[in-house]
Amino acid sequence: MNKITRSTTTKSKLMRNLIQRRFGAKASQIRIYEVGPRDGLQNESKFVPTDIKIELINKLVAAGLKDIESASFVSPKWVKQMSDGVDVMKNLKRAPGVNYPVLMPNLKGYEIAKQCNIEEVAIFPAASEGFSQKNLNCSVEESLARFKLVVDQALTDGLRVRGYVSCIVGCPYDGPVDPKAVAKISEQLLTMGCYEVSLGDTIGVGTAGSVKKMLREVLTVAKPEQIALHFHDTYGQALSNLLAGLEFGIKTVDSSISGLGGCPYARGASGNLATEDLVYFLYGLGVNTNIDLVKLIEAGRYISNYLGKPTDSKVNRALGDRFKKQEDIVKIASCDL
Ligand SMILES: CC(C)(COP(=O)([O-])OP(=O)([O-])OC[C@H]1O[C@@H](n2cnc3c(N)ncnc32)[C@H](O)[C@@H]1OP(=O)([O-])[O-])[C@@H](O)C(=O)NCCC(=O)NCCSC(=O)C[C@@](C)(O)CC(=O)[O-]
C-alpha cells in the first residue's frame, strides 16, 4: 500500500470512529424521508402536470430514496397544486421496498386517499394557534380532534401514521414558540398512535441553540427513534440544526429535492433542506446513505428545469455536470481527494 492510500484509509477509519463516538454506532442507518413531491411542489404557483410529478417521484426512486411523500389530499380550494393526488397515486407504478406516504388534514382527505392503495398517511397539527388558524382554518385543539379521527381510521385499516408538528421554533403569526407546546403536541400524536413525529421548522428561523432547547423538551416525552427533523432553510441554518439534532441520536431526516418547498400559508417560509445537500453532508460524515448523488442531482435538475428556475441546492449547483460517477463525488465529500 503506498503512502497516499495508507493515509487516506487511516483518515476514513478515523472519520468512522469519530462518527460512531459522536452519533452512536448506528449513525450509518440515517433514514432520509423525501418530501419534494409534496412539500416541495405545494408552494409552486405554476401547476405541475401529473406526469411530471410521477416522473419526479420515479427519478427519486431511481436515485435510491425509500420514503417519498408523494401527494397531499387537502382541499383543492386551499392548495390547487395538490389537487391531482388521486391521479398521481393511481398512475404511479410502485417500486418494491419504497414507501409512498401521503398527507391529509381531515377524514375527507383520508377517504379520498384510501381509494389509491396507500400504506402510510401523514397528519400535520401545529404548535402555534396563529399558524393552525391560517393553515387549517381551526384551532390546534380542533385540529387534533379531526386528526384523531384520521388516525383511528387509518390504524383500523392497518396503515401507518406519521405526525408532523409545524412551527416548532417560531410561528409567522405568533412569534417564538414555547418548546413545552411542541413537546405537548408531540406526546399527543404519539399517544394517538403515530409511529413517528416529524418536527417542522416551518419558517426556518431555528438555530442550533433554539433547536437543541426544543429537542431537550421533546425528548422528555419521546424517544429519539420516534422523532424526525424537518428543517426549512430560510435562514441557511438547516444543516447546522440537523447536526445539533443528530447529537441527540435522531436518525430520520426530511429533505426536499433541489431545496424546493414551503407552505403557502406560512408567510416568509422558503424551501426545505435540499436532499442533494443532505446526502453530500452525510457522505462527508462517513454515513453511507446508499443514495446515488449523480442520479439525485439529475432529479433536481429535472424538476428545476421544468419549473424554469435555478436549483436551490448548493451541492447541485457546485457539482452540476462535472461528475458522472458517484465515487468521485463521495471522495470530495469525505475529503479523500
Ligand atoms: C383543513 C381545510 C380543508 C379546512 O378548510 P375549510 O375551508 O375550513 O374546510 P371545509 O370543510 O369548509 O371545506 C371547504 C371545501 O373543501 C372541501 N374539502 C375539505 N377537505 C377536503 C379534502 N381533504 N380533500 C378535498 N376536498 C376537501 C370541502 O368539501 C369544501 O368543498 P365545497 O363544499 O366548498 O365544494 C383546509 O384548511 C386545508 O385543506 N388546509 C390544508 C393547507 C395545506 O395543505 N397546507 C400545506 C401543508 S402543511 C405544511 O406544509 C407543513 C409541513 C407538514 O410540511 C411541516 C412543516 O414544514 O412545518
Side-chain angles (χ1 to χ4, degrees), residues 38-39 42 72-79 103-106 108-110 112 124 131 134-137 146 164-167 199-202 230 232 262-265 272:
R38 194 279 302 169
D39 199 343
Q42 73 186 9
S72 75
F73 292 84
V74 301
S75 169
K77 293 191 169 146
W78 283 64
V79 186
L103 182 103
M104 63 214 38
N106 52 21
K108 173 156 190 156
Y110 178 80
I112 299 170
F124 53 104
F131 185 65
K134 296 280 186 208
N135 196 41
L136 293 165
N137 207 19
R146 286 183 200 171
Y164 284 95
V165 181
S166 298
C167 298
L199 300 171
D201 182 8
T202 316
H230 178 108
H232 286 258
C263 173
Y265 298 99
N272 290 70

mmCIF file of all heavy atoms in Angstrom, residues 38-39 42 72-79 103-106 108-110 112 124 131 134-137 146 164-167 199-202 230 232 262-265 272, ligand 1:
data_model
loop_
_atom_site.group_PDB
_atom_site.id
_atom_site.type_symbol
_atom_site.label_atom_id
_atom_site.label_comp_id
_atom_site.label_asym_id
_atom_site.label_seq_id
_atom_site.Cartn_x
_atom_site.Cartn_y
_atom_site.Cartn_z
ATOM 1 N N ARG A 38 -44.366 16.524 -2.442
ATOM 2 C CA ARG A 38 -45.483 17.127 -1.699
ATOM 3 C C ARG A 38 -45.111 18.523 -1.181
ATOM 4 O O ARG A 38 -45.524 19.536 -1.734
ATOM 5 C CB ARG A 38 -45.908 16.181 -0.550
ATOM 6 C CG ARG A 38 -47.233 16.497 0.093
ATOM 7 C CD ARG A 38 -47.201 17.587 1.123
ATOM 8 N NE ARG A 38 -46.294 17.328 2.238
ATOM 9 C CZ ARG A 38 -45.970 18.252 3.127
ATOM 10 N NH1 ARG A 38 -46.442 19.485 3.037
ATOM 11 N NH2 ARG A 38 -45.126 17.970 4.127
ATOM 12 N N ASP A 39 -44.284 18.595 -0.160
ATOM 13 C CA ASP A 39 -43.911 19.900 0.413
ATOM 14 C C ASP A 39 -43.202 20.751 -0.636
ATOM 15 O O ASP A 39 -43.406 21.967 -0.729
ATOM 16 C CB ASP A 39 -42.984 19.663 1.620
ATOM 17 C CG ASP A 39 -42.888 20.851 2.561
ATOM 18 O OD1 ASP A 39 -43.263 21.964 2.158
ATOM 19 O OD2 ASP A 39 -42.424 20.672 3.697
ATOM 20 N N GLN A 42 -45.940 21.924 -3.379
ATOM 21 C CA GLN A 42 -47.205 22.570 -2.963
ATOM 22 C C GLN A 42 -47.151 24.105 -3.009
ATOM 23 O O GLN A 42 -48.173 24.772 -3.128
ATOM 24 C CB GLN A 42 -47.630 22.100 -1.568
ATOM 25 C CG GLN A 42 -46.778 22.669 -0.452
ATOM 26 C CD GLN A 42 -47.090 22.095 0.922
ATOM 27 O OE1 GLN A 42 -47.841 21.141 1.055
ATOM 28 N NE2 GLN A 42 -46.496 22.665 1.960
ATOM 29 N N SER A 72 -50.624 15.219 -1.495
ATOM 30 C CA SER A 72 -51.457 15.522 -0.334
ATOM 31 C C SER A 72 -52.910 15.559 -0.765
ATOM 32 O O SER A 72 -53.227 15.832 -1.928
ATOM 33 C CB SER A 72 -51.019 16.810 0.371
ATOM 34 O OG SER A 72 -51.402 17.944 -0.361
ATOM 35 N N PHE A 73 -53.777 15.241 0.192
ATOM 36 C CA PHE A 73 -55.218 15.199 -0.055
ATOM 37 C C PHE A 73 -55.863 16.264 0.813
ATOM 38 O O PHE A 73 -56.563 15.979 1.771
ATOM 39 C CB PHE A 73 -55.745 13.790 0.218
ATOM 40 C CG PHE A 73 -55.241 12.801 -0.796
ATOM 41 C CD1 PHE A 73 -53.998 12.206 -0.643
ATOM 42 C CD2 PHE A 73 -55.974 12.520 -1.938
ATOM 43 C CE1 PHE A 73 -53.511 11.325 -1.593
ATOM 44 C CE2 PHE A 73 -55.497 11.647 -2.908
ATOM 45 C CZ PHE A 73 -54.261 11.044 -2.738
ATOM 46 N N VAL A 74 -55.549 17.513 0.459
ATOM 47 C CA VAL A 74 -56.098 18.673 1.170
ATOM 48 C C VAL A 74 -57.163 19.289 0.280
ATOM 49 O O VAL A 74 -57.385 18.831 -0.848
ATOM 50 C CB VAL A 74 -54.973 19.694 1.506
ATOM 51 C CG1 VAL A 74 -53.902 19.040 2.373
ATOM 52 C CG2 VAL A 74 -54.318 20.254 0.251
ATOM 53 N N SER A 75 -57.832 20.325 0.776
ATOM 54 C CA SER A 75 -58.869 20.943 -0.045
ATOM 55 C C SER A 75 -58.237 21.583 -1.285
ATOM 56 O O SER A 75 -57.313 22.391 -1.165
ATOM 57 C CB SER A 75 -59.612 21.995 0.776
ATOM 58 O OG SER A 75 -60.420 22.756 -0.091
ATOM 59 N N PRO A 76 -58.747 21.266 -2.487
ATOM 60 C CA PRO A 76 -58.185 21.888 -3.708
ATOM 61 C C PRO A 76 -58.419 23.391 -3.735
ATOM 62 O O PRO A 76 -57.722 24.130 -4.427
ATOM 63 C CB PRO A 76 -58.931 21.188 -4.848
ATOM 64 C CG PRO A 76 -60.110 20.531 -4.223
ATOM 65 C CD PRO A 76 -59.809 20.308 -2.777
ATOM 66 N N LYS A 77 -59.397 23.838 -2.902
ATOM 67 C CA LYS A 77 -59.627 25.289 -2.821
ATOM 68 C C LYS A 77 -58.486 25.956 -2.065
ATOM 69 O O LYS A 77 -58.245 27.141 -2.225
ATOM 70 C CB LYS A 77 -60.941 25.566 -2.088
ATOM 71 C CG LYS A 77 -62.118 25.067 -2.904
ATOM 72 C CD LYS A 77 -63.424 25.540 -2.386
ATOM 73 C CE LYS A 77 -64.482 25.206 -3.414
ATOM 74 N NZ LYS A 77 -65.770 24.864 -2.871
ATOM 75 N N TRP A 78 -57.810 25.190 -1.236
ATOM 76 C CA TRP A 78 -56.715 25.748 -0.439
ATOM 77 C C TRP A 78 -55.362 25.564 -1.135
ATOM 78 O O TRP A 78 -54.525 26.461 -1.085
ATOM 79 C CB TRP A 78 -56.697 25.095 0.957
ATOM 80 C CG TRP A 78 -57.769 25.644 1.855
ATOM 81 C CD1 TRP A 78 -59.126 25.544 1.664
ATOM 82 C CD2 TRP A 78 -57.593 26.404 3.047
ATOM 83 N NE1 TRP A 78 -59.793 26.184 2.674
ATOM 84 C CE2 TRP A 78 -58.875 26.718 3.544
ATOM 85 C CE3 TRP A 78 -56.466 26.832 3.763
ATOM 86 C CZ2 TRP A 78 -59.063 27.458 4.716
ATOM 87 C CZ3 TRP A 78 -56.653 27.562 4.938
ATOM 88 C CH2 TRP A 78 -57.943 27.872 5.395
ATOM 89 N N VAL A 79 -55.130 24.405 -1.715
ATOM 90 C CA VAL A 79 -53.842 24.170 -2.403
ATOM 91 C C VAL A 79 -54.134 23.471 -3.739
ATOM 92 O O VAL A 79 -54.204 22.243 -3.813
ATOM 93 C CB VAL A 79 -52.872 23.316 -1.540
ATOM 94 C CG1 VAL A 79 -51.508 23.215 -2.225
ATOM 95 C CG2 VAL A 79 -52.688 23.902 -0.146
ATOM 96 N N LEU A 103 -50.224 13.038 2.607
ATOM 97 C CA LEU A 103 -50.603 13.938 3.711
ATOM 98 C C LEU A 103 -52.079 14.313 3.614
ATOM 99 O O LEU A 103 -52.605 14.428 2.502
ATOM 100 C CB LEU A 103 -49.748 15.197 3.572
ATOM 101 C CG LEU A 103 -49.892 16.300 4.599
ATOM 102 C CD1 LEU A 103 -48.701 16.229 5.569
ATOM 103 C CD2 LEU A 103 -49.865 17.674 3.944
ATOM 104 N N MET A 104 -52.728 14.505 4.749
ATOM 105 C CA MET A 104 -54.148 14.912 4.715
ATOM 106 C C MET A 104 -54.553 15.684 5.964
ATOM 107 O O MET A 104 -53.992 15.459 7.048
ATOM 108 C CB MET A 104 -55.042 13.685 4.577
ATOM 109 C CG MET A 104 -54.943 12.762 5.730
ATOM 110 S SD MET A 104 -55.120 11.046 5.272
ATOM 111 C CE MET A 104 -54.288 10.889 3.753
ATOM 112 N N PRO A 105 -55.549 16.595 5.856
ATOM 113 C CA PRO A 105 -55.932 17.406 7.013
ATOM 114 C C PRO A 105 -57.164 16.886 7.748
ATOM 115 O O PRO A 105 -57.493 17.396 8.824
ATOM 116 C CB PRO A 105 -56.270 18.761 6.375
ATOM 117 C CG PRO A 105 -56.827 18.399 5.032
ATOM 118 C CD PRO A 105 -56.176 17.112 4.610
ATOM 119 N N ASN A 106 -57.875 15.929 7.148
ATOM 120 C CA ASN A 106 -59.156 15.509 7.747
ATOM 121 C C ASN A 106 -59.600 14.164 7.169
ATOM 122 O O ASN A 106 -58.953 13.617 6.265
ATOM 123 C CB ASN A 106 -60.236 16.586 7.509
ATOM 124 C CG ASN A 106 -60.329 16.970 6.032
ATOM 125 O OD1 ASN A 106 -59.909 16.220 5.152
ATOM 126 N ND2 ASN A 106 -60.879 18.144 5.752
ATOM 127 N N LYS A 108 -62.101 13.540 5.334
ATOM 128 C CA LYS A 108 -62.480 13.618 3.915
ATOM 129 C C LYS A 108 -61.252 13.287 3.037
ATOM 130 O O LYS A 108 -61.346 12.509 2.088
ATOM 131 C CB LYS A 108 -63.018 15.017 3.595
ATOM 132 C CG LYS A 108 -63.271 15.208 2.121
ATOM 133 C CD LYS A 108 -64.277 16.250 1.806
ATOM 134 C CE LYS A 108 -64.572 16.134 0.317
ATOM 135 N NZ LYS A 108 -65.827 16.627 -0.079
ATOM 136 N N GLY A 109 -60.115 13.902 3.389
ATOM 137 C CA GLY A 109 -58.881 13.627 2.646
ATOM 138 C C GLY A 109 -58.502 12.159 2.756
ATOM 139 O O GLY A 109 -58.049 11.539 1.789
ATOM 140 N N TYR A 110 -58.694 11.599 3.950
ATOM 141 C CA TYR A 110 -58.352 10.180 4.147
ATOM 142 C C TYR A 110 -59.209 9.296 3.247
ATOM 143 O O TYR A 110 -58.708 8.373 2.590
ATOM 144 C CB TYR A 110 -58.542 9.789 5.622
ATOM 145 C CG TYR A 110 -58.238 8.327 5.851
ATOM 146 C CD1 TYR A 110 -56.919 7.893 5.974
ATOM 147 C CD2 TYR A 110 -59.259 7.380 5.903
ATOM 148 C CE1 TYR A 110 -56.625 6.552 6.147
ATOM 149 C CE2 TYR A 110 -58.973 6.034 6.082
ATOM 150 C CZ TYR A 110 -57.649 5.631 6.205
ATOM 151 O OH TYR A 110 -57.359 4.295 6.361
ATOM 152 N N ILE A 112 -60.656 9.964 0.457
ATOM 153 C CA ILE A 112 -60.254 10.071 -0.963
ATOM 154 C C ILE A 112 -58.943 9.295 -1.175
ATOM 155 O O ILE A 112 -58.809 8.517 -2.111
ATOM 156 C CB ILE A 112 -60.105 11.555 -1.383
ATOM 157 C CG1 ILE A 112 -61.442 12.289 -1.219
ATOM 158 C CG2 ILE A 112 -59.610 11.671 -2.822
ATOM 159 C CD1 ILE A 112 -61.371 13.807 -1.377
ATOM 160 N N PHE A 124 -50.895 16.805 10.248
ATOM 161 C CA PHE A 124 -49.987 17.948 10.480
ATOM 162 C C PHE A 124 -50.562 19.057 11.370
ATOM 163 O O PHE A 124 -50.781 20.178 10.916
ATOM 164 C CB PHE A 124 -49.521 18.520 9.135
ATOM 165 C CG PHE A 124 -50.612 18.875 8.153
ATOM 166 C CD1 PHE A 124 -50.963 20.210 7.943
ATOM 167 C CD2 PHE A 124 -51.279 17.912 7.439
ATOM 168 C CE1 PHE A 124 -51.955 20.556 7.042
ATOM 169 C CE2 PHE A 124 -52.278 18.238 6.519
ATOM 170 C CZ PHE A 124 -52.612 19.558 6.326
ATOM 171 N N PHE A 131 -50.728 29.817 13.326
ATOM 172 C CA PHE A 131 -50.492 29.038 12.107
ATOM 173 C C PHE A 131 -51.605 28.003 11.895
ATOM 174 O O PHE A 131 -52.037 27.764 10.760
ATOM 175 C CB PHE A 131 -49.122 28.351 12.164
ATOM 176 C CG PHE A 131 -48.792 27.636 10.880
ATOM 177 C CD1 PHE A 131 -48.611 28.347 9.691
ATOM 178 C CD2 PHE A 131 -48.686 26.251 10.838
ATOM 179 C CE1 PHE A 131 -48.329 27.684 8.490
ATOM 180 C CE2 PHE A 131 -48.398 25.592 9.649
ATOM 181 C CZ PHE A 131 -48.223 26.307 8.482
ATOM 182 N N LYS A 134 -54.449 29.755 10.193
ATOM 183 C CA LYS A 134 -54.193 30.111 8.786
ATOM 184 C C LYS A 134 -54.098 28.875 7.894
ATOM 185 O O LYS A 134 -54.509 28.899 6.745
ATOM 186 C CB LYS A 134 -52.867 30.885 8.662
ATOM 187 C CG LYS A 134 -52.859 32.207 9.353
ATOM 188 C CD LYS A 134 -53.548 33.278 8.525
ATOM 189 C CE LYS A 134 -53.356 34.606 9.215
ATOM 190 N NZ LYS A 134 -54.348 35.587 9.010
ATOM 191 N N ASN A 135 -53.527 27.790 8.425
ATOM 192 C CA ASN A 135 -53.229 26.622 7.585
ATOM 193 C C ASN A 135 -54.361 25.602 7.562
ATOM 194 O O ASN A 135 -54.553 24.908 6.572
ATOM 195 C CB ASN A 135 -51.944 25.956 8.120
ATOM 196 C CG ASN A 135 -51.320 24.997 7.135
ATOM 197 O OD1 ASN A 135 -51.271 25.287 5.930
ATOM 198 N ND2 ASN A 135 -50.835 23.877 7.613
ATOM 199 N N LEU A 136 -55.109 25.555 8.674
ATOM 200 C CA LEU A 136 -56.138 24.512 8.789
ATOM 201 C C LEU A 136 -57.519 25.090 9.069
ATOM 202 O O LEU A 136 -58.501 24.347 9.195
ATOM 203 C CB LEU A 136 -55.757 23.522 9.909
ATOM 204 C CG LEU A 136 -54.516 22.668 9.622
ATOM 205 C CD1 LEU A 136 -54.001 22.007 10.888
ATOM 206 C CD2 LEU A 136 -54.821 21.608 8.573
ATOM 207 N N ASN A 137 -57.555 26.400 9.231
ATOM 208 C CA ASN A 137 -58.822 27.094 9.488
ATOM 209 C C ASN A 137 -59.512 26.619 10.768
ATOM 210 O O ASN A 137 -60.741 26.554 10.852
ATOM 211 C CB ASN A 137 -59.768 26.909 8.287
ATOM 212 C CG ASN A 137 -60.755 28.053 8.156
ATOM 213 O OD1 ASN A 137 -60.532 29.128 8.712
ATOM 214 N ND2 ASN A 137 -61.850 27.822 7.452
ATOM 215 N N ARG A 146 -59.838 16.437 14.832
ATOM 216 C CA ARG A 146 -60.019 15.954 13.446
ATOM 217 C C ARG A 146 -58.964 14.909 13.091
ATOM 218 O O ARG A 146 -59.247 13.905 12.451
ATOM 219 C CB ARG A 146 -59.853 17.102 12.457
ATOM 220 C CG ARG A 146 -61.008 18.054 12.425
ATOM 221 C CD ARG A 146 -60.716 19.086 11.352
ATOM 222 N NE ARG A 146 -61.526 20.272 11.579
ATOM 223 C CZ ARG A 146 -61.366 21.400 10.924
ATOM 224 N NH1 ARG A 146 -60.426 21.514 10.017
ATOM 225 N NH2 ARG A 146 -62.141 22.432 11.169
ATOM 226 N N TYR A 164 -46.786 15.309 11.811
ATOM 227 C CA TYR A 164 -45.896 16.472 11.805
ATOM 228 C C TYR A 164 -46.306 17.383 12.944
ATOM 229 O O TYR A 164 -47.486 17.430 13.322
ATOM 230 C CB TYR A 164 -46.069 17.293 10.522
ATOM 231 C CG TYR A 164 -45.444 16.707 9.294
ATOM 232 C CD1 TYR A 164 -46.188 15.924 8.416
ATOM 233 C CD2 TYR A 164 -44.120 16.966 8.979
ATOM 234 C CE1 TYR A 164 -45.625 15.406 7.256
ATOM 235 C CE2 TYR A 164 -43.544 16.454 7.825
ATOM 236 C CZ TYR A 164 -44.303 15.675 6.973
ATOM 237 O OH TYR A 164 -43.731 15.169 5.824
ATOM 238 N N VAL A 165 -45.344 18.158 13.455
ATOM 239 C CA VAL A 165 -45.699 19.324 14.268
ATOM 240 C C VAL A 165 -45.074 20.514 13.553
ATOM 241 O O VAL A 165 -43.860 20.543 13.327
ATOM 242 C CB VAL A 165 -45.135 19.240 15.708
ATOM 243 C CG1 VAL A 165 -45.573 20.472 16.507
ATOM 244 C CG2 VAL A 165 -45.574 17.964 16.405
ATOM 245 N N SER A 166 -45.906 21.469 13.136
ATOM 246 C CA SER A 166 -45.380 22.657 12.450
ATOM 247 C C SER A 166 -45.010 23.732 13.467
ATOM 248 O O SER A 166 -45.517 23.732 14.592
ATOM 249 C CB SER A 166 -46.443 23.232 11.508
ATOM 250 O OG SER A 166 -46.767 22.300 10.514
ATOM 251 N N CYS A 167 -44.177 24.648 13.046
ATOM 252 C CA CYS A 167 -43.778 25.813 13.855
ATOM 253 C C CYS A 167 -43.135 25.400 15.184
ATOM 254 O O CYS A 167 -43.536 25.864 16.255
ATOM 255 C CB CYS A 167 -44.981 26.733 14.098
ATOM 256 S SG CYS A 167 -45.657 27.404 12.577
ATOM 257 N N LEU A 199 -40.628 16.955 13.354
ATOM 258 C CA LEU A 199 -40.640 18.301 13.931
ATOM 259 C C LEU A 199 -40.295 19.315 12.846
ATOM 260 O O LEU A 199 -39.161 19.340 12.347
ATOM 261 C CB LEU A 199 -39.631 18.368 15.084
ATOM 262 C CG LEU A 199 -39.906 17.389 16.239
ATOM 263 C CD1 LEU A 199 -38.736 17.377 17.225
ATOM 264 C CD2 LEU A 199 -41.210 17.744 16.955
ATOM 265 N N GLY A 200 -41.258 20.147 12.481
ATOM 266 C CA GLY A 200 -41.092 21.048 11.341
ATOM 267 C C GLY A 200 -40.775 22.477 11.752
ATOM 268 O O GLY A 200 -41.569 23.147 12.410
ATOM 269 N N ASP A 201 -39.594 22.929 11.333
ATOM 270 C CA ASP A 201 -39.289 24.358 11.487
ATOM 271 C C ASP A 201 -39.817 25.022 10.209
ATOM 272 O O ASP A 201 -39.072 25.305 9.264
ATOM 273 C CB ASP A 201 -37.776 24.566 11.657
ATOM 274 C CG ASP A 201 -37.427 26.037 11.879
ATOM 275 O OD1 ASP A 201 -38.360 26.856 12.046
ATOM 276 O OD2 ASP A 201 -36.225 26.372 11.851
ATOM 277 N N THR A 202 -41.101 25.272 10.222
ATOM 278 C CA THR A 202 -41.857 25.680 9.030
ATOM 279 C C THR A 202 -41.287 26.918 8.355
ATOM 280 O O THR A 202 -41.269 27.021 7.136
ATOM 281 C CB THR A 202 -43.326 25.942 9.455
ATOM 282 O OG1 THR A 202 -43.719 24.873 10.314
ATOM 283 C CG2 THR A 202 -44.250 26.034 8.274
ATOM 284 N N HIS A 230 -37.330 18.158 10.385
ATOM 285 C CA HIS A 230 -37.835 18.705 9.116
ATOM 286 C C HIS A 230 -37.498 20.201 9.109
ATOM 287 O O HIS A 230 -38.227 21.010 9.686
ATOM 288 C CB HIS A 230 -39.349 18.456 9.086
ATOM 289 C CG HIS A 230 -40.074 18.973 7.891
ATOM 290 N ND1 HIS A 230 -40.585 18.134 6.909
ATOM 291 C CD2 HIS A 230 -40.423 20.216 7.505
ATOM 292 C CE1 HIS A 230 -41.209 18.854 5.992
ATOM 293 N NE2 HIS A 230 -41.129 20.120 6.323
ATOM 294 N N HIS A 232 -36.727 23.800 7.287
ATOM 295 C CA HIS A 232 -36.717 24.702 6.128
ATOM 296 C C HIS A 232 -35.455 25.563 6.262
ATOM 297 O O HIS A 232 -34.988 25.837 7.363
ATOM 298 C CB HIS A 232 -38.002 25.537 6.088
ATOM 299 C CG HIS A 232 -39.178 24.709 5.644
ATOM 300 N ND1 HIS A 232 -39.686 24.759 4.367
ATOM 301 C CD2 HIS A 232 -39.897 23.772 6.298
ATOM 302 C CE1 HIS A 232 -40.688 23.894 4.251
ATOM 303 N NE2 HIS A 232 -40.842 23.283 5.419
ATOM 304 N N GLY A 262 -42.039 24.762 1.035
ATOM 305 C CA GLY A 262 -42.615 25.891 1.747
ATOM 306 C C GLY A 262 -44.112 25.706 1.798
ATOM 307 O O GLY A 262 -44.688 24.974 1.006
ATOM 308 N N CYS A 263 -44.691 26.342 2.776
ATOM 309 C CA CYS A 263 -46.133 26.210 2.925
ATOM 310 C C CYS A 263 -46.779 27.503 2.442
ATOM 311 O O CYS A 263 -46.375 28.590 2.853
ATOM 312 C CB CYS A 263 -46.460 25.947 4.394
ATOM 313 S SG CYS A 263 -48.217 25.983 4.703
ATOM 314 N N PRO A 264 -47.803 27.398 1.589
ATOM 315 C CA PRO A 264 -48.445 28.619 1.086
ATOM 316 C C PRO A 264 -49.062 29.472 2.200
ATOM 317 O O PRO A 264 -49.318 30.655 1.999
ATOM 318 C CB PRO A 264 -49.543 28.097 0.157
ATOM 319 C CG PRO A 264 -49.380 26.620 0.050
ATOM 320 C CD PRO A 264 -48.361 26.166 1.037
ATOM 321 N N TYR A 265 -49.274 28.858 3.390
ATOM 322 C CA TYR A 265 -49.890 29.616 4.493
ATOM 323 C C TYR A 265 -48.882 30.013 5.571
ATOM 324 O O TYR A 265 -49.273 30.418 6.658
ATOM 325 C CB TYR A 265 -51.081 28.822 5.068
ATOM 326 C CG TYR A 265 -52.128 28.640 3.988
ATOM 327 C CD1 TYR A 265 -52.218 27.460 3.262
ATOM 328 C CD2 TYR A 265 -52.960 29.698 3.632
ATOM 329 C CE1 TYR A 265 -53.130 27.323 2.219
ATOM 330 C CE2 TYR A 265 -53.874 29.573 2.591
ATOM 331 C CZ TYR A 265 -53.951 28.388 1.890
ATOM 332 O OH TYR A 265 -54.843 28.280 0.858
ATOM 333 N N ASN A 272 -37.176 23.630 1.777
ATOM 334 C CA ASN A 272 -36.633 22.690 2.770
ATOM 335 C C ASN A 272 -35.128 22.514 2.558
ATOM 336 O O ASN A 272 -34.593 22.870 1.515
ATOM 337 C CB ASN A 272 -37.269 21.302 2.563
ATOM 338 C CG ASN A 272 -38.715 21.261 2.953
ATOM 339 O OD1 ASN A 272 -39.557 21.837 2.293
ATOM 340 N ND2 ASN A 272 -39.011 20.583 4.040
HETATM 341 C C1 LIG B 1 -58.382 21.756 6.504
HETATM 342 C C2 LIG B 1 -59.126 22.519 5.438
HETATM 343 C C3 LIG B 1 -59.807 21.578 4.475
HETATM 344 C C4 LIG B 1 -60.165 23.370 6.135
HETATM 345 O O1 LIG B 1 -60.734 24.290 5.207
HETATM 346 P P1 LIG B 1 -62.244 24.781 5.353
HETATM 347 O O2 LIG B 1 -62.478 25.729 4.245
HETATM 348 O O3 LIG B 1 -62.457 25.229 6.756
HETATM 349 O O4 LIG B 1 -62.980 23.376 5.162
HETATM 350 P P2 LIG B 1 -64.405 22.961 4.753
HETATM 351 O O5 LIG B 1 -64.694 21.696 5.481
HETATM 352 O O6 LIG B 1 -65.361 24.124 4.896
HETATM 353 O O7 LIG B 1 -64.221 22.625 3.209
HETATM 354 C C5 LIG B 1 -64.073 23.595 2.197
HETATM 355 C C6 LIG B 1 -64.177 22.879 0.855
HETATM 356 O O8 LIG B 1 -63.070 21.987 0.678
HETATM 357 C C7 LIG B 1 -63.524 20.636 0.586
HETATM 358 N N1 LIG B 1 -62.590 19.799 1.332
HETATM 359 C C8 LIG B 1 -62.368 19.840 2.654
HETATM 360 N N2 LIG B 1 -61.402 18.965 2.946
HETATM 361 C C9 LIG B 1 -61.036 18.373 1.799
HETATM 362 C C10 LIG B 1 -60.080 17.381 1.481
HETATM 363 N N3 LIG B 1 -59.301 16.839 2.418
HETATM 364 N N4 LIG B 1 -59.938 16.999 0.206
HETATM 365 C C11 LIG B 1 -60.715 17.546 -0.761
HETATM 366 N N5 LIG B 1 -61.648 18.498 -0.516
HETATM 367 C C12 LIG B 1 -61.804 18.908 0.759
HETATM 368 C C13 LIG B 1 -64.917 20.642 1.184
HETATM 369 O O9 LIG B 1 -65.681 19.567 0.670
HETATM 370 C C14 LIG B 1 -65.429 22.003 0.756
HETATM 371 O O10 LIG B 1 -65.759 21.950 -0.619
HETATM 372 P P3 LIG B 1 -67.127 22.668 -1.136
HETATM 373 O O11 LIG B 1 -68.231 22.039 -0.379
HETATM 374 O O12 LIG B 1 -66.948 24.128 -0.790
HETATM 375 O O13 LIG B 1 -67.127 22.378 -2.599
HETATM 376 C C15 LIG B 1 -58.144 23.472 4.671
HETATM 377 O O14 LIG B 1 -57.707 24.430 5.556
HETATM 378 C C16 LIG B 1 -56.950 22.762 4.073
HETATM 379 O O15 LIG B 1 -57.092 21.953 3.147
HETATM 380 N N6 LIG B 1 -55.740 23.068 4.581
HETATM 381 C C17 LIG B 1 -54.521 22.461 4.098
HETATM 382 C C18 LIG B 1 -53.473 23.523 3.841
HETATM 383 C C19 LIG B 1 -52.187 22.859 3.376
HETATM 384 O O16 LIG B 1 -52.206 21.916 2.609
HETATM 385 N N7 LIG B 1 -51.043 23.373 3.834
HETATM 386 C C20 LIG B 1 -49.758 22.805 3.477
HETATM 387 C C21 LIG B 1 -49.447 21.540 4.213
HETATM 388 S S1 LIG B 1 -48.825 21.822 5.871
HETATM 389 C C22 LIG B 1 -47.146 22.013 5.666
HETATM 390 O O17 LIG B 1 -46.691 22.119 4.565
HETATM 391 C C23 LIG B 1 -46.234 21.985 6.864
HETATM 392 C C24 LIG B 1 -45.449 20.685 6.933
HETATM 393 C C25 LIG B 1 -46.357 19.482 7.124
HETATM 394 O O18 LIG B 1 -44.704 20.444 5.758
HETATM 395 C C26 LIG B 1 -44.480 20.722 8.128
HETATM 396 C C27 LIG B 1 -43.655 21.987 8.242
HETATM 397 O O19 LIG B 1 -42.974 22.384 7.281
HETATM 398 O O20 LIG B 1 -43.664 22.546 9.315
#
